[in-house]
Amino acid sequence: MPPQTARSQTARAIKRSEGVQHALLVRRVQPSYPILARQAGVEGTVRLHAVIGRDGTIRELEVLSGHPLLVSAARDAVREWRYQPTLLNGEPVEVETYITVVFQLRR
């Protein structure tokens, strides 16, 4: 098997933990609490799987779990998040990570 070149190594998304990737977050848009969820007293978390592009933008976003009344607001907000590009051997790479958005009513 031929040795991998630096180019082929950076072509794949690398996996980063949620905490490590959160440290690179430069723009976080707070989700708007959906009116129906607020009226119904719905709280909870929405778990997302994301692929962050070489430029730090969200390229792919998949909902893993969460209350149906909260999912859309979480997804819309996270799509606007921006991260510092992740570098591998000095080159920007795509990153695969998880994101948790917490919805909690103020009491």
Side-chain angles (χ1 to χ4, degrees):
M1 175 156 57
Q4 289 187 335
T5 65
R7 180 97 177 139
S8 65
Q9 289 175 346
T10 59
R12 298 184 305 259
I14 63 169
K15 294 183 181 185
R16 301 277 300 261
S17 74
E18 185 172 355
V20 169
Q21 196 59 35
H22 185 74
L24 297 176
L25 188 60
V26 293
R27 180 172 180 240
R28 183 181 197 275
V29 174
Q30 193 67 20
S32 298
Y33 216 111
I35 293 170
L36 279 176
R38 184 180 301 278
Q39 291 172 342
V42 174
E43 295 182 322
T45 59
V46 177
R47 289 274 298 154
L48 304 163
H49 174 257
V51 175
I52 301 165
R54 290 177 175 91
D55 61 354
T57 61
I58 302 291
R59 292 184 32 96
E60 296 177 32
L61 197 58
E62 174 189 10
V63 175
L64 300 176
S65 66
H67 193 284
L69 291 177
L70 303 174
V71 165
S72 183
R75 190 176 42 227
D76 291 347
V78 170
R79 281 192 176 127
E80 296 184 46
W81 289 12
R82 298 296 178 263
Y83 292 85
Q84 287 180 341
T86 298
L87 302 178
L88 179 64
N89 299 325
E91 295 291 324
V93 293
E94 286 189 340
V95 174
E96 206 178 318
T97 192
Y98 295 94
I99 298 171
T100 303
V101 179
V102 178
F103 288 87
Q104 186 172 18
L105 293 167
R106 297 179 195 254
R107 301 184 197 282

